[in-house]
Amino acid sequence: MNAYRHAPVVCLSTEPPFASLPRSLPEARLRERRFDVQRKAHLHLLEGYVARAYMIEPAEIYLATRGRADVAEARQLVMYLAHVEIGLTIAQVAERYKRDRSTASYACREVEDRREDPFFDGLVNHIEELISLRRDPFLQGQRAPEIVLVTPLPKPTTANPANSN
C-alpha cells in the first residue's frame, strides 16, 4: 500500500480556496455596489480638491454655461482626472458634467497638453495622489486600516519624601 496515498493536505493559506470569488450573484452585486460608492466618494474628493486649487465653489463645476476661464479650466481638469484616475469613460464623464462627449474628449486633450508645464503637472500629480483609487484599501480587497484609540498615559507623580508625613 502506498504511504503517500492518505497523507494529509497542508494548506499554507489562511483563506479557503477561491475565497475571493463571489459565492452568489448578490455578493458580486454587493462588491460592484461598494466599488461604485467608493468611486463616487473619490469623485467628490476630486471635485473638492480641484475647486480648492482654483479657489472656486465646487458647484461651479456643474454650471450649464462655460463660466469664467478659471471655472472652465477647473472643469477640464476634473473631467480629465475623472477619466484617467477614476476610470470613467468619456461618455460617463460627459454625462456627469452635462457636456457633449466631444467636449469631454477635448478637455482631456487640453489637460494632457498643459501637463508639459512643470507647475501644472505638479498640481495634477498632487491631486492624483490624493484621490487615487489604487491606494484605497476597500477597493484592493484588503481590510481597512484599523483605528487604534490611544489613551494618554497618566502623568508620572514625583514622590517627594519630605512631604510624606
Side-chain angles (χ1 to χ4, degrees):
M1 183 169 176
N2 190 350
Y4 296 107
R5 184 174 179 194
H6 298 287
V9 176
V10 177
C11 182
L12 300 177
S13 174
T14 58
E15 291 184 348
F18 308 109
S20 61
L21 297 177
R23 294 194 175 126
S24 64
L25 189 58
E27 187 176 328
R29 286 185 182 150
L30 181 65
R31 284 186 183 182
E32 185 177 312
R33 170 98 174 112
R34 184 171 45 181
F35 180 73
D36 244 7
V37 168
Q38 288 300 105
R39 185 187 295 192
K40 286 179 184 176
H42 282 263
L43 272 169
H44 286 291
L45 284 174
L46 160 64
E47 292 162 359
Y49 285 127
V50 171
R52 185 173 181 190
Y54 279 84
M55 292 187 284
I56 63 171
E57 292 289 324
E60 290 182 272
I61 293 170
Y62 288 97
L63 289 176
T65 61
R66 182 181 183 278
R68 300 185 320 264
D70 58 338
V71 174
E73 286 180 18
R75 187 181 307 110
Q76 286 180 340
L77 180 56
V78 167
M79 289 177 161
Y80 169 80
L81 290 172
H83 174 61
V84 171
E85 198 61 37
I86 305 297
L88 297 181
T89 65
I90 293 291
Q92 290 171 327
V93 170
E95 181 182 339
R96 179 172 178 88
Y97 299 103
K98 298 184 179 27
R99 298 291 189 267
D100 190 66
R101 208 172 77 56
S102 62
T103 304
S105 179
Y106 174 78
C108 291
R109 286 192 311 272
E110 282 294 306
V111 172
E112 272 296 326
D113 291 344
R114 288 191 63 206
R115 288 197 78 169
E116 292 176 11
D117 174 20
F119 176 77
F120 183 75
D121 188 50
L123 171 72
V124 175
N125 284 334
H126 184 67
I127 294 174
E128 281 177 334
E129 288 175 19
L130 292 170
I131 57 120
S132 178
L133 288 170
R134 292 181 288 258
R135 294 189 187 146
D136 192 326
F138 291 107
L139 300 179
Q140 301 301 320
Q142 302 169 4
R143 289 180 41 201
E146 293 183 19
I147 299 172
V148 179
L149 298 176
V150 178
T151 55
L153 295 173
K155 292 183 180 179
T157 56
T158 54
N160 190 351
N163 291 339
S164 60
N165 285 346

